[in-house]
Amino acid sequence: MRRLTRTVAVVILTAMVATAAGCGSPDNSDKSNNSSAKPLEKVTYLTSFGNFGRDAYAWVAKEKGFFADAGFEVDIKPGGGTGDNITKVEAGAAMFTPVDLTGLLLARGNGGAKGVVTVAAIQQNTMAAIISLEGNQITTPKDLEGKTLADSPSSVVRNLFPTYAKLAGVDATKVKWVNGQPANLIGLLAGGSVAGIGQFVVGKPTVESVAKGKKAVVLPYRDVMSDLYGNVLITSTKIAKENPETVKRFTAALIKGLVHSIDNPKESGEILQKNVSAAAAAPASAEAELMAAFVRPAGSGAAAGTIDTDRVARSIAILREAGAIPAGLTPDQLIASGLTPKS
């Protein structure tokens, strides 16, 4: 009996050890798999202009793990406007950035921006605008004559202004522009240093949050140029040619963040504030909410991120007829149709 008892005990102990080893094997396998996992690809991304709610979607894509799921570790830096962002992508200082498509058309049509291509639309309509405050005697485009406006020299709002002025019946020579950086434009307006600033339409909540007690007056460029797209995502021609699959994966992750941002504006504002201490959640959320109508315009049927080259051709025609660019520019020169999202 003693021998039998000892034998049974040994059998049970052996089984327990085997079971424990078996239970531990998945963990060891997981650790092995994790250690051999492909490292995330590092990407530098510039926002369109500073860190406002309109650009929160990039932070959303990072915070929600959309970039990581696509295989990217993304360093998000504040952009300086269309002209500056194009220059940085061409120089290799950033891989992706949103720029205003009209600004890109102006640059390319006049011989520049040959080192970048467009791979997705961010806004299906232009958000460019002049924003003023009640009390500045600006309610119509004509009221801009004799006034001083501020914007970055590379901003599409400022560079497109002569075309806007011509189509809106404004004498552009009677409007004075002064330089301002993205971070201080709204302060210049709120402090009374200038009568208006170049801004996006969705910047209205942020302007009003700074100019406490004053209502913003918005003059949208789309009122006279309805075919124009807003921001588009660009990359360098080199990256688009050599790494098309990388471009597609990054674009898909960013557009996923864009859609999540406009569908969840409150969360979008909170994510921006969490990552950018100077940003305020409430106005950022309001900007994200307003941007929904530009990302997915009612009745357009356009899926987020898609680009209609026929519309781009009409935009080119508007600029050419206004004398802003010479003849010869075509959509295929700056739209990488094989890389853009499909409906």
Side-chain angles (χ1 to χ4, degrees):
M1 286 297 295
R2 288 197 189 98
R3 290 196 193 96
L4 179 60
T5 300
R6 284 198 297 271
T7 301
V8 171
V10 169
V11 169
I12 292 174
L13 181 59
T14 302
M16 289 175 64
V17 171
T19 301
C23 291
S25 59
D27 289 340
N28 294 334
S29 175
D30 286 347
K31 288 177 183 178
S32 175
N33 289 339
N34 288 340
S35 63
S36 62
K38 187 176 179 180
L40 297 178
E41 183 178 350
K42 295 182 184 294
V43 167
T44 300
Y45 171 92
L46 299 178
T47 67
S48 66
F49 194 67
N51 277 307
F52 298 99
R54 72 207 69 162
D55 275 300
Y57 59 89
W59 293 105
V60 170
K62 184 172 183 175
E63 182 79 12
K64 302 298 289 187
F66 302 153
F67 283 145
D69 290 345
F72 299 106
E73 179 184 336
V74 182
D75 182 15
I76 303 173
K77 297 182 177 180
T82 294
D84 188 61
N85 287 1
I86 290 173
T87 298
K88 284 187 168 64
V89 170
E90 287 188 309
M95 293 176 66
F96 297 93
T97 186
V99 301
D100 189 276
L101 179 58
T102 306
L104 178 56
L105 293 175
L106 289 170
R108 188 61 175 269
N110 288 291
K114 292 183 178 180
V116 300
V117 291
T118 301
V119 295
I122 302 300
Q123 294 120 18
Q124 297 291 324
N125 296 115
T126 181
M127 299 200 306
I130 303 295
I131 293 188
S132 184
L133 295 171
E134 286 183 349
N136 288 347
Q137 287 75 54
I138 296 176
T139 57
T140 69
K142 192 69 175 175
D143 297 331
L144 295 172
E145 295 180 0
K147 303 297 194 302
T148 298
L149 309 178
D151 203 353
S152 164
S154 64
S155 166
V156 69
V157 177
R158 184 168 176 175
N159 288 296
L160 186 56
F161 182 75
T163 303
Y164 167 76
K166 183 175 182 178
L167 295 174
V170 177
D171 186 346
T173 65
K174 295 182 179 179
V175 180
K176 180 181 178 181
W177 286 91
V178 297
N179 295 338
Q181 294 304 311
N184 64 23
L185 285 176
I186 295 176
L188 291 174
L189 177 62
S193 298
V194 295
I197 57 175
Q199 265 290 327
F200 280 168
V201 172
V202 296
K204 181 181 178 182
T206 303
V207 170
E208 291 180 340
S209 72
V210 175
K212 303 185 186 308
K214 294 184 179 180
K215 294 293 184 180
V217 176
V218 183
L219 301 178
Y221 280 19
R222 68 175 175 174
D223 287 351
V224 296
M225 295 179 284
S226 59
D227 265 330
L228 302 184
Y229 275 88
N231 278 350
V232 295
L233 182 67
I234 66 168
T235 189
S236 70
T237 52
K238 177 180 172 64
I239 291 173
K241 181 179 180 180
E242 296 179 358
N243 301 289
E245 292 307 313
T246 294
V247 173
K248 288 181 180 180
R249 283 188 292 112
F250 182 87
T251 299
L254 185 69
I255 297 302
K256 188 174 181 180
L258 175 64
V259 171
H260 188 93
S261 176
I262 62 174
D263 285 346
N264 303 273
K266 185 175 184 295
E267 181 188 20
S268 180
E270 291 169 349
I271 288 175
L272 179 64
Q273 185 179 52
K274 175 183 175 181
N275 289 277
V276 181
S277 59
S285 298
E287 284 199 12
E289 186 171 3
L290 287 173
M291 202 167 77
F294 293 86
V295 174
R296 291 183 300 207
S300 73
T306 58
I307 297 179
D308 181 350
T309 54
D310 288 339
R311 275 188 61 198
V312 177
R314 293 197 296 270
S315 298
I316 292 172
I318 290 172
L319 298 177
R320 188 177 63 246
E321 291 166 7
I325 59 174
L329 183 63
T330 57
D332 60 283
Q333 294 175 24
L334 57 139
I335 308 294
S337 297
L339 300 179
T340 58
K342 308 305 176 188
S343 298

